[in-house]
Amino acid sequence: MKNKKELRIGLIGCGFMGRTHTNGYKRVSDFFPALTHTPVLKAVCARNAEKVKAFADQWGYESTETDWKQLVARKDIDAIDICTPNDFHAEIAIAGSAAGK
């Protein structure tokens, strides 16, 4: 399908689940070729700047953040993918929803 709309992803957390979800974004069109959107790995966020930079370089994210609130506030992000430990999900999800993500 031509002219797919971009879905600009902001991923929060770059541990095992971050790798797993990123792999899914990279492979989704292999499983669902008729999708109308294509994921764009716009930004990844983690507290450790060196670790998140290495993750971004390995997986192809365009940019990094070290504060999830900055990621949520970005206008160039359409969807937030929360890959943090479960006890952090609610605060991030509520903020993402309030920001229209």
Side-chain angles (χ1 to χ4, degrees), residues 1-99:
M1 177 174 254
K2 294 182 180 181
N3 299 322
K4 291 183 179 182
K5 182 179 177 185
E6 290 185 346
L7 181 64
R8 301 167 300 178
I9 305 296
L11 185 90
I12 302 173
C14 63
F16 176 77
M17 288 312 297
R19 291 189 308 273
T20 302
H21 288 206
T22 300
N23 185 56
Y25 292 128
K26 290 177 151 299
R27 300 286 318 274
V28 70
S29 65
D30 293 339
F31 292 92
F32 304 101
L35 290 176
T36 59
H37 289 70
T38 187
V40 175
L41 304 178
K42 202 65 169 169
V44 59
C45 179
R47 293 177 294 192
N48 182 302
E50 290 178 18
K51 183 178 177 182
V52 76
K53 173 73 168 105
F55 184 93
D57 290 345
Q58 177 181 359
W59 289 97
Y61 281 85
E62 294 178 15
S63 62
T64 64
E65 296 284 352
T66 56
D67 180 347
W68 67 263
K69 293 176 183 176
Q70 294 293 324
L71 184 95
V72 168
R74 286 177 52 163
K75 301 296 184 205
D76 64 338
I77 302 290
D78 298 313
I80 301 296
D81 186 351
I82 305 168
C83 295
T84 62
N86 290 344
D87 54 339
F88 294 101
H89 284 205
E91 183 181 9
I92 298 169
I94 291 166
S97 179

